[in-house]
Amino acid sequence: MNPQLQLLHPYPFAKMATLLQGITPNPNYAPIKLGIGEPQHTPPQFVLDVIKDNLAKIQNYPTTNGLPELRQAIADWVQRRFQVKQLNADTQVLPVMGTREALFSFVQAAFDREDSKRPYVVMPNPFYQIYEGATLLAGGQPYFVNCTADNNFVGDYDSVPSEVWEKTQLVFVCSPNNPTGSVMDLAQWQRLVELSDKYGFILASDECYSELYFDTPPIGLLEVCAKLGRDDFANCVVFHSLSKRSNLPGMRSGFVAGDAKLLAPYAQYRTYQGCAMPIHHQLASITAWQDEAHVEENRKLYRQKFDLWMDKLSDKLPLRRPDAGFYFWLPVQDDEQFVKVIYEQLNIHALAGRYLSRDMPPYQKNSGNAGKNHVRMALVADIAQSSEAIDRLLSLDLSNLV
């Protein structure tokens, strides 16, 4: 077996299972799952109808590049949403089986293993675990940038030494961020683009939470490129998904868009990887990208839930409304203890923040584990379950936990 497999950490939910092993939750309560970011809102029926009406397409092999109609629907959506003047559907868009698959496979295709002088992939800390796993299995070395309250949870990229940038091949950015909910502003994006130009690394922007915002749509990397007049999106790629935007996590539908010079060899890689979206899912994806009404309704539901939590619990818990996304990033005294208590006494599942982060070496600025003593709570349950979770938390004395 690949010896680098031994470098992988257990996935956060495996760590949680170990932590909670042997604990029996309160039998008086049905479980409420706020740990995993799996949307529970009803998927749009018109998308499901397209899948049902095209099930016969299951007998046909899908192509790696996907249907031209899907690539065009994606390009049109990007142009509308991010004020991009032109996006070539044939060379700058590639449908993928969800962002998780694409984030992982892109690193395998993009990382130059022979360039031993440039071992790093820079990423936020805490982070989506795929960034690290993809880096390690590609033969790279993660370099973490801590996202803390001191830097508004977006990370201080100017703290990265020049000798690290010189050895960096790729930088992952997640905005809106999972788990902190922070959003990069234009100046911060421009700084990363400047660094990419100076040191020659790829900017890979994970934007799968971009449509879950409260008032102002978060800016995206391609939008930044457009503002800078970089229509070729040089060294820039973005990853988007229907999972959160349209409540379709099981459909496994997303896309990568950006620099055609990067996407062409990546597409060739994917012909060997063999991960092409089923045709009936592609047809359903077209209808999803073309409709915004269901997305606005989705945002409305999340707004209602965040308002409810802030109104009922902000006096008891140090809740901070995120810039976007559907997570609370809750500071507590001990994250492992907090999730054990609410699981055992209230049958509420949450995720210990230290499992989404890594310990930083003491010589690095902002050393320590940026996720430690934080809890990620995903407001994915419906309004009724959210109200029930709030009532349970109000019934418990949490003063010694926060």
Side-chain angles (χ1 to χ4, degrees), residues 373-391:
N373 299 335
H374 286 77
V375 170
R376 192 186 79 174
M377 302 181 76
L379 298 198
V380 291
D382 61 22
I383 294 289
Q385 275 202 321
S386 291
S387 297
E388 173 64 20
I390 290 168
D391 288 342

Side-chain angles (χ1 to χ4, degrees), residues 60-338:
N60 303 119
Y61 281 120
T63 61
T64 299
N65 289 342
L67 297 171
E69 296 86 352
L70 174 57
R71 295 197 305 273
Q72 190 60 57
I74 291 169
D76 292 343
W77 179 79
V78 171
Q79 289 176 252
R80 291 193 306 270
R81 167 63 175 84
F82 294 104
Q83 304 171 50
V84 173
K85 293 180 180 179
Q86 186 173 359
L87 187 68
N88 190 308
D90 294 326
T91 62
Q92 295 177 314
V93 175
L94 193 61
V96 296
M97 290 283 284
T99 51
R100 178 177 183 148
E101 172 269 312
L103 290 163
F104 181 87
S105 61
F106 182 80
V107 178
Q108 311 314 304
F111 194 83
D112 184 355
R113 293 163 175 79
E114 295 184 359
D115 189 356
S116 59
K117 294 181 180 180
R118 304 186 70 195
Y120 289 119
V121 173
V122 174
M123 62 194 70
N125 190 42
F127 60 97
Y128 183 39
Q129 305 295 287
I130 301 304
Y131 309 156
E132 179 193 56
T135 298
L136 294 172
L137 290 177
Q141 181 177 338
Y143 184 93
F144 298 107
V145 177
N146 272 1
C147 299
T148 65
D150 292 338
N151 53 50
N152 295 318
F153 300 103
V154 296
D156 179 10
Y157 289 93
D158 282 326
S159 70
V160 178
S162 59
E163 57 267 27
V164 171
W165 286 129
E166 290 168 357
K167 298 178 180 179
T168 295
Q169 292 194 36
L170 187 146
V171 173
F172 273 118
V173 181
C174 184
S175 179
N177 181 268
N178 169 18
T180 69
S182 61
V183 169
M184 298 263 289
D185 64 27
L186 178 59
Q188 291 162 334
W189 273 120
Q190 287 178 322
R191 177 59 179 150
L192 280 176
V193 172
E194 290 171 1
L195 289 167
S196 173
D197 286 345
K198 181 176 181 178
Y199 294 103
F201 56 74
I202 296 170
L203 266 177
S205 179
D206 177 359
E207 302 177 7
C208 72
Y209 293 89
S210 70
E211 304 314 288
L212 303 184
Y213 55 86
F214 298 101
D215 298 305
T216 304
I219 193 170
L221 178 55
L222 297 191
E223 185 176 359
V224 174
C225 289
K227 290 180 182 295
L228 296 175
R230 303 163 63 97
D231 295 334
D232 61 352
F233 312 116
N235 271 344
C236 294
V237 290
V238 299
F239 299 79
H240 281 268
S241 169
L242 291 175
S243 296
K244 274 68 176 181
R245 174 188 182 270
S246 301
N247 305 313
L248 295 165
M251 199 165 82
R252 311 312 305 138
S253 178
F255 68 84
V256 185
D259 188 346
K261 293 180 180 178
L262 299 177
L263 291 188
Y266 177 50
Q268 184 180 23
Y269 171 90
R270 293 179 64 79
T271 62
Y272 285 85
Q273 183 196 16
C275 199
M277 194 189 312
I279 294 174
H280 52 300
H281 286 197
Q282 293 190 51
L283 294 171
S285 299
I286 292 171
T287 64
W289 289 117
Q290 290 176 337
D291 182 78
E292 291 297 327
H294 77 282
V295 188
E296 175 52 40
E297 179 61 26
N298 201 31
R299 283 194 289 268
K300 179 180 176 181
L301 292 173
Y302 284 117
R303 289 188 197 109
Q304 290 175 352
K305 288 188 289 186
F306 273 104
D307 288 345
L308 181 65
W309 279 74
M310 295 298 296
D311 181 56
K312 299 292 186 181
L313 271 176
S314 59
D315 290 341
K316 188 167 185 175
L317 291 175
L319 299 177
R320 177 186 64 88
R321 188 189 296 269
D323 296 332
F326 54 43
Y327 298 117
F328 273 128
W329 188 235
L330 177 69
V332 296
Q333 290 188 29
D334 184 311
D335 51 321
E336 288 185 325
Q337 181 65 15
F338 186 93

Side-chain angles (χ1 to χ4, degrees), residues 360-371:
M360 306 290 283
Y363 58 81
Q364 187 168 326
K365 185 178 180 180
N366 295 322
S367 62
N369 186 312

